[in-house]
Amino acid sequence: GENVEQHPSTLSVQEGDSAVIKCTYSDSASNYFPWYKQELGKRPQLIIDIRSNVGEKKDQRIAVTLNKTAKHFSLHITETQPEDSAVYFCAASKDNQGGKLIFGQGTELSVKP
Amino acid sequence: DARVTQTPRDKVTEMGQEVTMRCQPILGHNTVFWYRQTMKQGLELLAYFRNRAPLDDSGMPKDRFSAEMPDATLATLKIQPSEPRDSAVYFCASGVSGITDTQYFGPGTRLTVL
């Protein structure tokens, strides 16, 4: 079955720097790749997603890139702020799975002021 | 702003007791997912439903866990008997399969089994 690997498990950056989190997936049929942000004690919330027919998507300071050939996708956060500190999860899914998402292990991002 | 709701938000119980967690998916959503989150395991899928029918419950310990959808507005996750290793945060999420695979999470139930 599908497996999603996420790196790094922890990431510490200075405020204003960029942060990059990478995920690889094993099933070439996967075609939907969301990213969730989970603040301490809160629910995971969708921040951005990308489908396999698109190579890159941006929303203000966050962007996601997808390389289907290499089967990896990445989350990029620019001009990081302390409120970006959270655990970020990548996930992957494919058609005919009832919407089932396979999640990565999570990355704990710490933005130091 | 429609949201998934879960009750209770916190539950402390003693080993051996029955625990029932409830979830109300967003109105119109046809898929419901139950996850367990611990520090070690990340987000672990326990079971999920589409149109109230169970699609996969292979992530659940079958001898003590059960999941049901009595109707389209209620999903339940039951643990009987509970054990200390069941202590975790249990999240419910809902979505609309076939349109998008986006899942919307509830606030979670923090379960502590003493």
Side-chain angles (χ1 to χ4, degrees), chain A residues 69-88:
Chain A
T69 303
K71 290 189 286 188
H72 67 70
F73 56 111
S74 300
L75 178 71
H76 305 252
I77 306 174
T78 59
E79 300 172 26
T80 54
Q81 301 167 3
E83 51 264 40
D84 295 328
S85 296
V87 178
Y88 292 81

Side-chain angles (χ1 to χ4, degrees), chain A residues 36-92:
Chain A
Y36 285 81
K37 175 183 180 182
Q38 186 178 26
E39 296 176 357
L40 189 63
K42 301 289 181 65
R43 73 185 81 191
Q45 291 196 291
L46 179 73
I47 56 171
I48 194 167
D49 56 11
I50 192 168
R51 299 196 177 275
S52 58
N53 58 347
V54 175
E56 181 176 359
K57 185 176 178 180
K58 291 183 74 172
D59 183 2
Q60 299 182 337
R61 294 186 299 106
I62 60 173
V64 57
T65 58
L66 171 65
N67 183 327
K68 286 189 293 183
T69 303
K71 290 189 286 188
H72 67 70
F73 56 111
S74 300
L75 178 71
H76 305 252
I77 306 174
T78 59
E79 300 172 26
T80 54
Q81 301 167 3
E83 51 264 40
D84 295 328
S85 296
V87 178
Y88 292 81
F89 291 96
C90 64

